[in-house]
């Protein structure tokens, strides 16, 4: 099967035209906004490149409820945070040992790369279940989700941002020296849907009206009804994760196969959402490419830079910004490695943050993490968890993920019995009945 992206279908041109038709001043407004965003990127990218990993906020789990307004504002703008000491080091190392034992007992488990598996299509090991159910992980998830706010603080039916749910994902135990190209800069949780789905598009209404600086990535209502997966594409999250995240199981720092982010969610959203409406008038490798005067409004093509459709695959992938297609982000200099973490530390990034994984791991020890996002209680999320629960009971991969070699033939797979005696919050997060004393 070819991995070369196919030309995008001509019908996508109509998405641009429909958006442009929402206002008689659309071209004028977003052309002005485009120039402003480019000017702001010119300043911010220089600061990010200069400060590097120190630009990423770090806080202690014990201090979460005592952070200043300035600290919270910084976390929200950068869209990324390292939360230290969420779990005891020894506990995190024990979970890693449990994963390694499971892998040895189940060599049929699918993973990447095939000849030396390090990224595993496994979801229901006992270590993963225990980590997701840990009270501190649930508390961190709830704290992050509560950064989102409904208009005027109104209560929304079936929504409780302080009640975390459990989204089953995978883990990696990456060995030193292995080159890794499977996670270039990208955004998860919706591709062309960001423009095509009217509800998803409403998340970016201020950007598309030209008032990009008013854009609030934490406005709650438009997130609840958006459709992130219109085409049933596998590995496309269909739920509302306020933040993606992972729990460190080993000591990992910059250059050791860790996460990289573009740490400004307001600016990256504004630039990426506006980008399909403009084309350059000069070569992309010229210095003149950075001048807003060398870009022109154009809605005559189906191009959505960074959106990919591959032959024989359902739906679309991306956004995947690149230095060629999104030059003003200066990705070669601004994709920033998160600071060094120890076992039990966590890293979280807003669902719209551009992120990647370092291609090289030059350390001497493996880089191990469990992927555990922040997922709040909403009607749609609860519906997913209820479906996920039935997959869990059968030992099958969750609904959003590809079918893998898993289930009845695995030795030591976690089961519902592992939740006997678990806290009501942990059971609810998994969609399990609350035990009556």
């Amino acid at each position: 099967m070819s991995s070369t992206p196919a030309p995008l279908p001509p019908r996508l041109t109509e998405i641009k035209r429909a958006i442009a038709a929402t206002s008689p001043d659309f071209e004028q407004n977003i052309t002005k906004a485009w120039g402003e965003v480019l000017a702001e990127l010119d300043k911010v990218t220089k600061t990010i490149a200069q400060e590097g990993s120190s630009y990423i906020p770090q806080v202690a789990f014990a201090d979460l409820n005592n952070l200043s307004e300035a600290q919270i504002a910084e976390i929200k703008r950068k869209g990324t945070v390292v939360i230290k000491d969420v779990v005891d080091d020894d506990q995190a190392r024990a979970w890693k040992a449990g994963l390694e034992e499971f892998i040895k007992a189940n060599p049929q488990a699918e993973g990447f790369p095939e000849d030396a598996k390090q990224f595993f299509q496994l979801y229901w090991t006992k270590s993963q279940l225990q980590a997701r159910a840990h009270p501190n992980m649930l508390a961190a998830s709830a704290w992050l989700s509560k950064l989102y706010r409904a208009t005027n603080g109104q209560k929304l039916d079936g929504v409780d941002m302080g009640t975390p749910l459990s989204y089953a994902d995978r883990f990696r135990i990456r060995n030193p020296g292995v080159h890794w190209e499977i996670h270039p800069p990208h955004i998860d949780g919706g591709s062309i849907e960001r423009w095509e789905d009217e509800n998803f598009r409403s998340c970016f209404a201020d950007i598309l009206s030209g008032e990009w600086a008013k854009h609030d990535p934490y406005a709650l209502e438009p997130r609840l009804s958006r459709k992130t997966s219109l085409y049933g594409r596998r590995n496309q999250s269909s739920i509302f994760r306020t933040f993606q995240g992972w729990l460190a199981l080993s000591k990992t720092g910059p250059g050791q196969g860790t996460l990289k982010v573009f740490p400004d969610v307001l600016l990256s959203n504004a630039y990426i959402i506006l980008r399909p409406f403009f084309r350059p008038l000069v070569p992309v490798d010229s210095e003149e490419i950075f001048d807003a005067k060398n870009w022109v409004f154009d809605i005559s093509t189906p191009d959505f830079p960074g959106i990919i459709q591959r032959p024989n695959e359902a739906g679309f992938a991306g956004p995947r910004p690149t230095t060629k297609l999104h030059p003003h982000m200066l990705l070669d200099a601004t994709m920033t490695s998160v600071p060094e973490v120890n076992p039990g530390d966590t890293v979280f990034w807003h669902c719209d943050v551009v992120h990647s994984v370092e291609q090289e791991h030059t350390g001497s020890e493996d880089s191990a993490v469990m992927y555990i996002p922040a997922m709040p209680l909403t009607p749609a999320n609860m519906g997913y968890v209820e479906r996920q629960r039935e997959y869990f009971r059968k030992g099958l991969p969750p609904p959003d993920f590809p079918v893998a070699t898993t289930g009845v033939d695995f030795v030591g797979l976690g089961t519902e019995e592992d939740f006997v005696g678990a806290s009501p919050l942990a059971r609810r997060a998994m969609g399990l009945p609350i035990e009556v004393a």
Side-chain angles (χ1 to χ4, degrees):
M1 182 168 60
S2 173
S3 61
T4 302
L8 295 178
R11 68 174 181 83
L12 297 193
T13 305
E14 297 307 314
I15 297 176
K16 293 184 190 178
R17 290 174 175 167
I19 295 172
T22 59
S23 168
D25 300 320
F26 181 82
E27 178 178 349
Q28 176 183 342
N29 291 340
I30 72 162
T31 298
K32 179 175 180 290
W34 178 250
E36 293 170 351
V37 169
L38 299 196
E40 187 68 13
L41 275 169
D42 183 56
K43 294 185 293 185
V44 172
T45 53
K46 290 175 182 175
T47 302
I48 294 172
Q50 181 177 5
E51 296 194 16
S53 296
S54 64
Y55 196 73
I56 307 297
Q58 300 185 66
V59 298
F61 173 76
D63 295 336
L64 281 183
N65 294 321
N66 299 305
L67 299 182
S68 68
E69 291 184 6
Q71 286 175 298
I72 293 173
E74 181 188 17
I75 290 169
K76 292 178 71 172
R77 176 64 186 256
K78 295 177 179 178
T80 307
V81 61
V82 176
I83 306 179
K84 308 287 287 185
D85 299 317
V86 177
V87 176
D88 289 341
D89 290 21
D90 290 344
Q91 177 62 82
R93 291 190 182 97
W95 284 334
K96 177 174 179 283
L99 294 175
E100 291 169 332
E101 291 173 6
F102 188 92
I103 294 164
K104 289 179 182 177
N106 298 277
Q108 76 276 27
E110 293 186 13
F112 169 90
E114 291 186 9
D115 58 345
K117 298 172 186 175
Q118 298 167 60
F119 184 88
F120 293 89
Q121 305 285 359
L122 292 169
Y123 309 86
W124 308 123
T125 67
K126 293 180 187 293
S127 289
Q128 288 168 291
L129 296 179
Q130 291 168 14
R132 295 178 198 135
H134 193 283
N136 289 5
M137 289 299 298
L138 294 170
S141 173
W143 186 87
L144 289 158
S145 291
K146 287 190 289 186
L147 295 177
Y148 287 71
R149 289 285 188 271
T151 304
N152 299 322
Q154 62 181 317
K155 185 172 177 57
L156 304 173
D157 290 342
V159 176
D160 184 351
M161 303 304 281
T163 296
L165 298 179
S166 184
Y167 184 75
D169 205 331
R170 297 153 293 187
F171 65 90
R172 75 160 189 259
I173 302 177
R174 182 177 174 184
N175 299 329
V178 176
H179 188 74
W180 197 294
E181 293 185 345
I182 61 173
H183 293 119
H186 67 285
I187 307 173
D188 294 309
S191 182
I192 192 63
E193 289 87 353
R194 292 168 185 270
W195 296 269
E196 183 173 10
D197 177 64
E198 291 186 7
N199 291 324
F200 204 163
R201 188 193 312 158
S202 70
C203 295
F204 313 109
D206 286 325
I207 296 171
L208 291 168
S209 73
E211 300 289 338
W212 68 273
K214 294 182 179 179
H215 169 61
D216 182 4
Y218 301 87
L220 180 56
E221 288 95 330
R223 300 278 173 179
L224 300 177
S225 55
R226 65 178 182 167
K227 292 182 175 63
T228 59
S229 182
L230 292 174
Y231 300 94
R233 182 174 174 267
R234 286 296 191 179
N235 282 324
Q236 181 71 286
S237 173
S238 63
I239 51 86
F240 173 31
R241 294 176 292 186
T242 53
F243 282 76
Q244 294 174 252
W246 48 248
L247 168 68
L249 305 179
S250 64
K251 187 173 183 177
T252 304
Q256 298 172 2
T258 196
L259 176 80
K260 302 179 78 172
V261 297
F262 182 90
D264 193 315
V265 67
L266 169 63
L267 268 181
S268 59
N269 270 352
Y271 184 69
I272 288 169
I273 291 298
L274 292 176
R275 176 65 181 86
F277 299 94
F278 296 90
R279 64 175 172 84
L281 299 173
V282 296
V284 294
D285 58 355
S286 67
E287 282 298 319
E288 289 76 20
I289 196 71
F290 297 102
D291 191 334
K293 295 178 182 178
N294 293 321
W295 291 77
V296 63
F297 178 82
D298 185 359
I299 56 172
S300 66
T301 74
D303 295 336
F304 279 75
I307 300 300
I308 298 168
Q309 185 176 43
R310 288 198 171 93
N312 305 315
E313 287 188 10
F316 301 83
R320 295 182 182 174
T322 67
T323 54
K324 180 178 179 180
L325 296 174
H326 302 82
H328 302 89
M329 294 182 75
L330 296 179
L331 293 171
D332 289 342
T334 59
M335 287 302 294
T336 305
S337 299
V338 298
E340 183 177 87
V341 294
N342 293 309
D345 295 342
T346 58
V347 179
F348 289 97
W349 59 101
H350 184 283
C351 56
D352 289 340
V353 161
V354 178
H355 59 286
S356 65
V357 177
E358 291 179 334
Q359 291 188 346
E360 305 298 337
H361 178 357
T362 60
S364 58
E365 300 179 4
D366 57 43
S367 171
V369 305
M370 279 193 231
Y371 297 97
I372 304 177
M375 177 183 176
L377 174 63
T378 71
N381 283 355
M382 193 66 224
Y384 179 88
V385 165
E386 289 171 350
R387 296 193 305 276
Q388 177 184 259
R389 176 190 61 212
E390 301 312 308
Y391 285 67
F392 164 57
R393 286 171 169 165
K394 297 175 183 177
L396 298 173
D400 278 349
F401 296 91
V403 174
T405 305
T406 185
V408 294
D409 62 339
F410 273 10
V411 177
L413 203 65
T415 70
E416 195 168 345
E417 292 299 312
D418 293 299
F419 283 87
V420 172
S423 72
L425 195 63
R427 292 185 64 86
R428 185 175 189 181
M430 275 293 291
L432 299 173
I434 304 301
E435 295 174 327
V436 178

